[in-house]
Amino acid sequence: MQGGEDRRKAQAQKNIVEVEYHGTKGLRYPHRLNFYDKPPSGDITIEEFETCALDRLRILAEIESSFVRNRPWEELSKITLAQCEKYLQLNSNSAKTVDKEAQRKKDHVGHFVLRLAFCRSEELRRRFVKAEMALFRVRYEKDDAQELKDFQNSRDFGWEEVSAKEKADHEEHLKAASAWSNRDVNVLTDGYYKVKWTRVPDLVEKRRVFLKAGMAWVPSREQSSIVFQEFQANLMKALEMTAKALPFLDEDTRIVPILNNLSQGFLAGVSSEWSTATAGSGNEITADMIDDMARKHFPACMRNLHECLRRDKHLKHFGRLQYGLFLKVLGLSIDEAITFWRRSFSNIQDDKFNKEYRYNIRHSYGLEGKRANYPAKSCQQILMSDQPGTGDSHGCPYRHFSPDNLQTALLSMYSSQGLTAADLPEIMNTVKAGHYHVACTRVFEITHARQGVAKGEGIGGGESVTHPNQYAARSRELEREREGASGKKEDDGDVVMG
């Protein structure tokens, strides 16, 4: 046994030398793949601290949404790669025109910040490890062959290569343990690696390895399982250690609010670019257009606010704030906003409206008070802040309505757009599991099936809804695309008579 251990260590040292020969020696981040063994060093600004974590969390939240929706691995991988391209690019070592070190530093910093945010409970740790494991696997499977080999050789994974004599002595056992048909297996030419069987429980469970003296003989095509299990075990252990150190950060008033916000990311997804959108970012709309738009394009939270406003001719403060900022970002100008709210509050006199409401409307547009141009509220903000009480209309119906009321409301709002009672069990199961933005995304898909939106497509590219304005903007975009296609068909059908 001692001789085998010495041979393994010697081979590992040889592999590390080979990696240095390939030109990665001296680089802080020589590989795109990373086990995150060492925390980032040097100074990091609060802005960088938060930005790196948010961009990474966008990807992890979409991975968790994919798990909730039971997407096949190929689809999850495609969506994850698209999100990585958008928020967390990692170019190969052969790339010449990009700052690879900056990319990999962002990846590194974001991972460690999220460790702080998600180490606080066993449930958060489990969800974080599952999402990080999926991200690592996606990157591993898509990595360049030479760079992947260099990464494998850069670490001591504790495997020992099976000798040709050992393979010949156990040829029949190795064939029997293969997941492939015996015709396709030549164990004498295939590579095999010995590790403790506890390192590959997934392969043992599936009977895809040969076991001897407590060691699993893993074929090279299953070698990735060793790497994945090692990554998962290391990360879980690191999170537990981080949790023990976390109390020392409790007095840092700069960092704790950021970590609290990040840890809520799996509940509501992470706000897209809509989180910083302001008035004028969409096409201009008028007060007269809102009734029709609400029926066709609004998510349940805004649809509910609109219907309550029409019914009661009034909304309480947080309802006005949530709905007013949404309409502002949708493209409602200040003049049209005053017109809309004045018409909606038809039961009150002009003096009362001007005294109690006009100022607040102008304030939300940055025209009064400290003149801040407030953005619309994201799904995460709606879910986590200013919880609705008796008589309130704001909030998220998927979270704040009772199950019976939610089902009744969804059918009332969206039956004309194709939602049926048969769709409700799937939606309600997602709501019960606490994935409210995933439920909203599924409603979007169902109600826009006529515009060609397929199940699993979300608002585009598989992305989930994370902002009410994102939902409405995509809905309007689909309508314009459909109208454009319809107009083109009419033009193509015209016949010019000579």
Side-chain angles (χ1 to χ4, degrees), residues 117-129 239 263-264 266:
F118 287 93
C119 71
R120 302 168 173 218
S121 70
E122 185 177 347
E123 171 67 9
L124 284 175
R125 291 194 292 269
R126 181 190 63 77
R127 293 167 73 175
F128 180 67
V129 169
L239 283 168
S263 64
Q264 298 165 0
F266 282 151

Side-chain angles (χ1 to χ4, degrees), residues 124-141:
L124 284 175
R125 291 194 292 269
R126 181 190 63 77
R127 293 167 73 175
F128 180 67
V129 169
K130 185 177 181 181
E132 279 282 348
M133 181 66 244
L135 175 60
F136 182 84
R137 180 182 168 189
V138 167
R139 289 173 169 175
Y140 187 94
E141 291 178 350

Side-chain angles (χ1 to χ4, degrees), residues 236-254:
M236 183 57 78
K237 182 178 179 181
L239 283 168
E240 291 170 354
M241 292 177 62
T242 305
K244 294 177 181 178
L246 193 64
F248 295 105
L249 287 175
D250 283 348
E251 296 180 2
D252 194 323
T253 57
R254 302 167 303 163

Side-chain angles (χ1 to χ4, degrees), residues 104-386:
R104 296 173 189 185
K105 179 185 177 184
K106 179 181 179 181
D107 175 74
H108 192 212
V109 170
H111 172 87
F112 273 92
V113 175
L114 292 185
R115 273 194 194 180
L116 293 172
F118 287 93
C119 71
R120 302 168 173 218
S121 70
E122 185 177 347
E123 171 67 9
L124 284 175
R125 291 194 292 269
R126 181 190 63 77
R127 293 167 73 175
F128 180 67
V129 169
K130 185 177 181 181
E132 279 282 348
M133 181 66 244
L135 175 60
F136 182 84
R137 180 182 168 189
V138 167
R139 289 173 169 175
Y140 187 94
E141 291 178 350
K142 296 298 180 182
D143 205 9
D144 173 83
Q146 182 58 53
E147 290 187 30
L148 181 60
K149 182 179 178 182
D150 290 343
F151 169 74
Q152 291 173 343
N153 291 340
S154 71
R155 299 183 60 87
D156 180 6
F157 282 102
W159 56 49
E160 178 187 346
E161 194 165 358
V162 177
S163 68
K165 182 179 185 306
E166 288 175 311
K167 287 190 288 186
D169 291 343
H170 299 282
E171 181 176 3
E172 292 305 314
H173 292 107
L174 293 174
K175 282 187 176 182
S178 174
W180 304 76
S181 69
N182 288 349
R183 286 188 312 238
D184 300 329
V185 174
N186 186 340
V187 299
L188 300 181
T189 58
D190 286 355
Y192 281 83
Y193 301 87
K194 285 191 278 189
V195 294
K196 291 182 179 179
W197 73 268
T198 53
R199 296 273 304 280
V200 284
D202 56 327
L203 298 181
V204 174
E205 180 184 12
K206 297 172 184 175
R207 299 188 178 186
R208 291 165 71 168
V209 290
F210 169 55
L211 298 178
K212 182 175 185 292
M215 303 295 283
W217 294 25
V218 181
S220 56
R221 59 179 168 270
E222 304 283 4
Q223 190 178 14
S224 60
S225 183
I226 303 173
V227 179
F228 298 158
Q229 290 292 336
E230 182 89 351
F231 178 88
Q232 183 172 308
N234 284 5
L235 181 54
M236 183 57 78
K237 182 178 179 181
L239 283 168
E240 291 170 354
M241 292 177 62
T242 305
K244 294 177 181 178
L246 193 64
F248 295 105
L249 287 175
D250 283 348
E251 296 180 2
D252 194 323
T253 57
R254 302 167 303 163
I255 293 178
V256 171
I258 296 174
L259 297 180
N260 289 337
N261 186 56
L262 290 170
S263 64
Q264 298 165 0
F266 282 151
L267 177 66
V270 184
S271 300
S272 64
E273 58 271 17
W274 289 104
S275 63
T276 54
T278 54
S281 61
N283 295 329
E284 294 296 319
I285 63 173
T286 66
D288 294 331
M289 298 167 60
I290 294 177
D291 282 337
D292 183 58
M293 292 182 64
R295 285 191 296 270
K296 296 190 294 185
H297 304 304
F298 285 8
C301 54
M302 301 305 166
R303 183 81 176 264
N304 175 61
L305 283 166
H306 184 79
E307 292 180 358
C308 289
L309 178 60
R310 286 292 178 251
R311 182 193 66 213
D312 302 331
K313 303 187 186 307
H314 188 265
L315 285 176
K316 290 187 176 182
H317 171 72
F318 287 118
R320 296 196 305 273
L321 183 63
Q322 181 176 319
Y323 194 36
L325 292 174
F326 167 80
L327 293 176
K328 182 183 79 166
V329 172
L330 198 62
L332 193 68
S333 68
I334 180 60
D335 292 334
E336 289 294 328
I338 291 174
T339 299
F340 170 76
W341 288 104
R342 181 65 194 97
R343 289 177 184 172
S344 300
F345 287 12
S346 58
N347 286 345
I348 66 174
Q349 299 298 317
D350 286 342
D351 287 347
K352 182 178 176 66
F353 178 83
N354 291 332
K355 182 179 179 181
E356 298 184 14
Y357 302 106
R358 187 185 183 94
Y359 176 88
N360 287 335
I361 297 168
R362 290 176 53 79
H363 188 277
S364 68
Y365 277 75
L367 301 176
E368 301 288 355
K370 64 179 182 179
R371 300 185 181 275
N373 201 359
Y374 298 98
K377 291 183 177 293
S378 68
C379 292
Q380 184 171 331
Q381 291 171 315
I382 291 170
L383 283 163
M384 305 309 300
S385 62
D386 305 322

Side-chain angles (χ1 to χ4, degrees), residues 58 62 83 86-87 268-275 277 281 297-299 301-302 326 329-330 376-380 437 440-441 444 448 457-478 480:
R58 287 187 172 98
E62 204 57 62
Q83 290 290 98
K86 193 174 181 181
Y87 297 114
V270 184
S271 300
S272 64
E273 58 271 17
W274 289 104
S275 63
S281 61
H297 304 304
F298 285 8
C301 54
M302 301 305 166
F326 167 80
V329 172
L330 198 62
K377 291 183 177 293
S378 68
C379 292
Q380 184 171 331
H437 66 302
C440 186
T441 304
F444 180 91
H448 292 80
E457 187 176 338
I459 59 167
E463 190 172 346
S464 301
V465 175
T466 58
H467 200 290
N469 285 94
Q470 177 194 35
Y471 184 113
R474 180 56 179 157
S475 178
R476 295 179 71 197
E477 182 183 341
L478 288 168
R480 287 193 291 268

Side-chain angles (χ1 to χ4, degrees), residues 440-460:
C440 186
T441 304
R442 183 65 190 121
V443 169
F444 180 91
E445 292 170 346
I446 293 168
T447 56
H448 292 80
R450 297 167 186 170
Q451 283 96 341
V453 177
K455 183 175 182 179
E457 187 176 338
I459 59 167

